[in-house]
Amino acid sequence: MTGRELAARCGWHASKVSRIENAVTPPSAEDVRLWARRCGAADQISDLVASLRVVEGMWIEWRRMERRGLRQAQEARLPLYERTRRFRAYSSWLVPGMIQTPAYTEAALRAVQQRRELVDDVDAALAARIERQRVLHEGDHRFAFLVEESVLRSGLGGAAVMAGQLEHLGAVAALPNVSLGVVPMRPDRTRWPVEGFWLYDAAQVNVELVSGYLTITQPHEIELYAQAFGELAALAQYGAAARALIAAAVTALG
């Protein structure tokens, strides 16, 4: 059956099938039910609709997550942080939130608030972010942070803010439950930079993209991110070598 024939059977415009197949237009639950019936697959409707619900829950646009401001978005993540025991975070563009200084966080939140024209609750959001950072020092949580060297070289808030942030990275790396790796800039890498992501135990991955926030819970997809983290970790510098990269970034600030 062609897409045009399926559209005719469903009573849709001829282009609707193509738009759904190419992810231009998301299908509704009723679209899925009608499509399955017209294809003689009514017995699969329950599973297909359930899968649609999972996909819908994976993706949240920033404008939806932050419609009431930045504070609520910060507070909403705290329970996940509290119940996670093993954190793995990789960032190719910003210092991960859990190890940001207040000044760096304020600069980041202010930039988001202005760019997305949100309610100005940056002070409250900053307080919520700092409150979340207490997880670093409580319980039996373990953290592995990976950042690209470029994160040390460019940032937010100006030279003074960046200098303070880089100094803070050294202090964080000294914590017994924290591993900090810096992936050096070099021309012969075997694993290129990817989007920033968080791994929470083996239960969930969160990815921050330009347009929204992605939550991944499928085991095989989580394993792909765990594999990527392992490959990037193998390229990273730790200990004295990581501190040398941080020191060089401080020197470059002038």
Side-chain angles (χ1 to χ4, degrees), residues 99-114:
I99 54 176
Q100 292 176 0
T101 64
Y104 187 98
T105 295
E106 183 177 8
L109 292 175
R110 181 65 63 190
V112 170
Q113 183 266 326
Q114 293 176 349

Side-chain angles (χ1 to χ4, degrees), residues 1-8 17 21:
M1 184 190 311
T2 67
R4 187 175 295 275
E5 290 170 339
L6 177 60
V17 172
E21 289 180 330

Side-chain angles (χ1 to χ4, degrees), residues 25-239:
T25 301
S28 66
E30 187 53 39
D31 289 337
V32 171
R33 293 187 184 97
L34 185 56
W35 187 314
R37 292 191 189 101
R38 296 298 182 263
C39 291
D43 59 325
Q44 298 182 39
I45 288 176
S46 295
D47 287 343
L48 290 170
V49 171
S51 295
L52 176 65
R53 299 302 186 211
V54 169
V55 171
E56 289 175 338
M58 286 173 59
W59 178 253
I60 303 178
E61 288 185 290
W62 291 121
R63 61 183 178 181
R64 175 182 165 194
M65 178 179 286
E66 298 166 347
R67 64 183 180 273
R68 297 182 182 176
L70 292 167
R71 177 189 60 81
Q72 185 178 51
Q74 295 295 319
E75 291 177 339
R77 302 180 198 178
L78 181 57
L80 174 61
Y81 282 66
E82 290 178 328
R83 67 175 179 264
T84 300
R85 289 298 171 264
R86 185 189 182 196
F87 296 78
R88 285 167 286 177
Y90 164 80
S91 183
S92 55
W93 46 287
L94 279 179
V95 173
M98 285 294 288
I99 54 176
Q100 292 176 0
T101 64
Y104 187 98
T105 295
E106 183 177 8
L109 292 175
R110 181 65 63 190
V112 170
Q113 183 266 326
Q114 293 176 349
R115 184 172 66 251
R116 296 178 186 155
E117 299 181 344
L118 303 172
V119 173
D120 187 353
D121 64 347
V122 169
D123 289 344
L126 173 60
R129 171 73 66 82
I130 294 173
E131 164 64 14
R132 199 169 71 201
Q133 289 179 347
R134 65 178 169 76
V135 178
L136 272 172
H137 308 282
E138 296 180 352
D140 59 349
H141 308 282
R142 292 180 294 124
F143 298 85
F145 297 104
L146 289 177
V147 297
E148 294 286 340
E149 185 182 358
S150 57
V151 170
L152 311 179
R153 298 282 181 162
S154 63
L156 299 162
V161 169
M162 281 301 298
Q165 177 61 68
L166 294 172
E167 181 180 354
H168 181 63
L169 290 181
V172 167
L175 295 174
N177 61 328
V178 172
S179 167
L180 174 64
V182 179
V183 185
M185 297 183 293
R186 52 186 299 174
D188 59 346
R189 288 177 54 158
T190 56
R191 189 53 155 105
W192 56 84
V194 298
E195 67 275 12
F197 61 88
W198 273 89
L199 275 157
Y200 302 91
D201 292 321
Q204 179 176 320
V205 176
N206 283 131
V207 185
E208 295 189 357
L209 302 175
V210 171
S211 57
Y213 190 73
L214 184 62
T215 299
I216 295 169
T217 56
Q218 294 291 335
H220 72 279
E221 292 188 75
I222 293 173
E223 179 54 35
L224 288 175
Y225 278 93
Q227 180 180 341
F229 189 90
E231 293 170 353
L232 290 161
L235 299 177
Q237 299 289 321
Y238 301 89

